[in-house]
Structures are given as structure tokens and as C-alpha cells.
Amino acid sequence: MKSIRLKSFTIVALCSLILALTACGTKTTSDTTKLTNVQIVLDWTPNTNHTGIYVAKDQGFYKEAGLNVEIIQPNDSGADTMVASGKVPFGISGQDSITQARTQGVPLVSIAAIIQHNTSGFASPAAKNIKAPKDFVGKTYGSFGSPFESAVLQSLMENDKADFSKLKIVNIGDADYFTATKKDIDFSWIFYAWTGIQAELQKEPQNMLYLKDFSDKLDYYTPVLSTNETMIKEKPEIVKAFVAATAKGYQYAIKNPEKAADMLIKAVPDINKELVIASQKWLSPRYQADAPRWGEQKKTVWDNYADWLTEHKLLEKKLDSDAAFTNQFIPAK
């Protein structure tokens, strides 16, 4: 299974589909159960970021909410495009993607934070001795191809009084982190809950520099549940039912990490079972963390990240954060 990687956002593809935005993707079945069929498109291959969704399906939480939920993989256009166009009503996205989308007129909306704090950062084999941004000097970074990476690297290095021009950046796309760091690169950007835990299981010590430890503005929500404006406007009852059932799935995973892991494994039998169990134990307490309820998002988090992007000339216009996310569908405690 490939390592989870952050992905660059395809604005052009999304904007080309704005005119086609509809609330399609939901319909009521004709059988006696009268469940409403809905789809959710994942951002990547199934992993522990998605466990609550699989739990909600396995435990019948979606059916209790009147929904028949199908979990699907993204096509070549990506999950954000599928949701923004109305082809699929729900998806997995990230605050970074939605922020850029909103400033381009793309009507994506975040409806719940799956994880409260950013668990991503720059990882490197311990033997590389990269323990601070100043240690990036003279090293080679494995990039996934986004201009955002360079801005983050430059900002961290300059704050550590290091010369950014002495860092080599090589685009490795979706190459496996472990293979890449054994060949041409020294460090790359990973989500610790998956690739970091995998390194632990493989007994390959890593140094991890979490983005959130360097700036509060980089402690953004990733991943999040997303929908489009048309769904919220025209079918709020479906959105409310979906979020409520999904919340129950994640709450179950918080309290029962091993049982939740088993449900993900049952649904995706080819997945690395040992990795799923270990990852779930690490990630479950981080779903809600210090938030008053699972899924809740703060305006300050959205504004801080947008401010950071603006400061680094990565945002074309000001973000209307009130339109970019909502807590209205998250059930009360």
C-alpha cells in the first residue's frame, strides 16, 4: 500500500465543473426500506483517517439515519472535483485544498474536522540527522509537486536562520517514502499516523518535524469531511443525517480503537492489518483531542492558515472562512 501523501489541488479542473454543479448523487430507493443512497469519495486508498466511516457503515449507523452509504475511490479528477461538481455529495478533503478552492470560486464546504490537529510533517531516517529546519541545508527534499511545499520549507529554514538556497528539491510524486529515502532523497512530507507508524513497525527510526510545532498557523485541519453548497442549501437533512452517523462512527473508534480497526480490515481485506491496528491505536485519541466534540472546527484555525498563505503570496484573494466551513451539522455532545 502506498504511503499517504499530501496532494496539490487542481483548481482548473474544479472551476471547469462549477457550471455543472448539482445535488446529484443522492436518490431514494424504491424498496420498502426507503433508504437514501449516497456516496462518499475518499481522498486516497482506505486508511485509518477513514475508519469512522467504515465503522458507521459496519455498525448500521448510516442505516439508522436513513442512508445507504457507498464508499468509493476518487477518479483521475480527484475527490474535490467530484464533490464540487455534484457528482458525489460527500468526500474527504483538507483545509488546505478547500481554502484554495474557495478563493477560486469553487463551492466546497468543510462540514467536520476528522482530526483536530495537523499530524503531518517532515520525516527523515534518523541516520540523516535532520533534527531541525537548519539541518535541511545540503539535503535533498522529496517533493509531491506543490508550490506550497517550497513556501513552508523556506519559511521554516529562514526562521531557523538557514539558507533555503542550499536545499535541493526533487519531485518524487507518489513514490514510496521508504524507497525514496533509501535512494535519492533525505526527507519528505508524511502523515505520521500512517507512514510514521509503518516506520515504527519496520523498526526504521525516523526524525519527525511536525508543522504544528513551528507555527500555530500551520496547525490546520487535515483531513476533513466535505460537501458542496448545493447539498447544504437543497438537502440539509441529508447532510445532517450523514454527519451525525459519521460522528457516531468516529466516536466509536475513539472509544474502541481495536474493534474499529477490525471493521476497517474486514471492509478492506487486502490492507496491512498490523499497520491498521497500530495506526488506529495512535490515531483514535487524536480524532477529537481537545475539542468539545468530534468534528468541531474553529474560525481562528481557518483564518490563521489563510493569513499564512496570504503572507507567503500563495492565496490570490482573501478567504471568507465563514463560507468555507460550518459546524451546523455536527451533533451536540
Side-chain angles (χ1 to χ4, degrees):
M1 182 173 181
K2 294 181 179 178
S3 298
I4 304 171
R5 291 194 181 279
L6 298 163
K7 301 177 292 302
S8 58
F9 194 73
T10 311
I11 295 297
V12 175
L14 283 171
C15 289
S16 68
L17 290 169
I18 294 300
L19 296 178
L21 182 63
T22 67
C24 63
T26 66
K27 63 179 180 179
T28 304
T29 60
S30 58
D31 63 23
T32 55
T33 61
K34 299 298 182 184
L35 295 178
T36 298
N37 293 332
V38 299
Q39 293 179 318
I40 178 170
V41 56
L42 304 182
D43 54 337
W44 203 251
T45 51
N47 58 76
T48 48
N49 283 350
H50 313 133
T51 305
I53 299 164
Y54 284 94
V55 169
K57 189 172 176 68
D58 182 272
Q59 294 295 290
F61 299 152
Y62 288 130
K63 284 188 177 180
E64 290 172 4
L67 304 176
N68 179 40
V69 174
E70 181 185 9
I71 304 167
I72 65 173
Q73 295 293 305
N75 59 25
D76 291 341
S77 65
D80 288 326
T81 301
M82 295 170 72
V83 175
S85 68
K87 183 176 181 179
V88 177
F90 302 106
I92 305 295
S93 187
Q95 182 180 335
D96 49 344
S97 295
I98 292 178
T99 296
Q100 293 186 49
R102 296 296 312 189
T103 59
Q104 294 290 329
V106 179
L108 283 172
V109 182
S110 174
I111 49 178
I114 291 177
I115 304 172
Q116 272 298 310
H117 296 284
N118 192 344
T119 61
S120 75
F122 298 113
S124 59
K128 304 284 186 180
N129 202 34
I130 300 175
K131 299 180 179 180
K134 65 182 179 182
D135 299 325
F136 296 164
V137 171
K139 300 295 194 299
T140 299
Y141 170 72
S143 166
F144 53 86
S146 168
F148 176 66
E149 295 171 278
S150 295
V152 172
L153 289 163
Q154 183 171 0
S155 175
L156 298 188
M157 290 182 73
E158 289 178 351
N159 287 341
D160 209 14
K161 296 180 170 50
D163 188 349
F164 174 68
S165 68
K166 293 182 179 178
L167 169 66
K168 183 179 179 181
I169 299 178
V170 175
N171 191 333
I172 61 171
D174 293 333
D176 176 71
Y177 168 79
F178 298 99
T179 301
T181 51
K182 287 179 174 65
K183 291 184 176 180
D184 305 320
I185 71 163
D186 296 302
F187 69 110
S188 192
W189 197 333
I190 70 166
F191 282 100
Y192 193 83
W194 195 258
T195 309
I197 297 299
Q198 185 178 357
E200 289 185 15
L201 294 175
Q202 295 174 181
K203 302 190 184 308
E204 298 184 31
Q206 305 288 312
N207 287 326
M208 184 74 181
L209 303 178
Y210 291 99
L211 266 67
K212 65 181 180 62
D213 292 341
F214 293 95
S215 172
D216 289 341
K217 293 182 177 182
L218 293 176
D219 190 14
Y220 53 87
Y221 299 118
T222 179
V224 299
L225 284 182
S226 67
T227 191
N228 57 63
E229 289 180 353
T230 302
M231 279 295 299
I232 291 175
K233 181 180 179 181
E234 298 184 359
K235 298 191 176 182
E237 72 285 354
I238 298 298
V239 181
K240 182 177 180 180
F242 179 80
V243 174
T246 304
K248 287 181 68 175
Y250 279 99
Q251 288 160 356
Y252 183 101
I254 290 168
K255 296 176 181 177
N256 308 280
E258 292 191 52
K259 289 182 180 179
D262 287 340
M263 293 174 199
L264 175 57
I265 292 166
K266 182 175 72 173
V268 191
D270 291 337
I271 203 166
N272 184 325
K273 297 177 177 58
E274 183 184 20
L275 176 55
V276 169
I277 294 169
S279 174
Q280 197 62 61
K281 289 179 179 179
W282 188 89
L283 191 56
S284 279
R286 291 170 170 81
Y287 286 139
Q288 183 171 336
D290 52 358
R293 53 186 175 161
W294 176 87
E296 187 165 316
Q297 302 170 81
K298 295 179 182 177
K299 178 177 171 60
T300 53
V301 174
W302 282 84
D303 288 339
N304 284 343
Y305 179 64
D307 288 345
W308 190 95
L309 291 174
T310 301
E311 291 166 10
H312 292 82
K313 298 180 173 55
L314 293 170
L315 214 56
E316 294 186 10
K317 67 178 184 179
K318 184 176 177 60
L319 173 73
D320 178 4
S321 58
D322 290 326
F325 82 97
T326 180
N327 288 320
Q328 73 182 95
F329 300 109
I330 301 171
K333 293 177 62 178

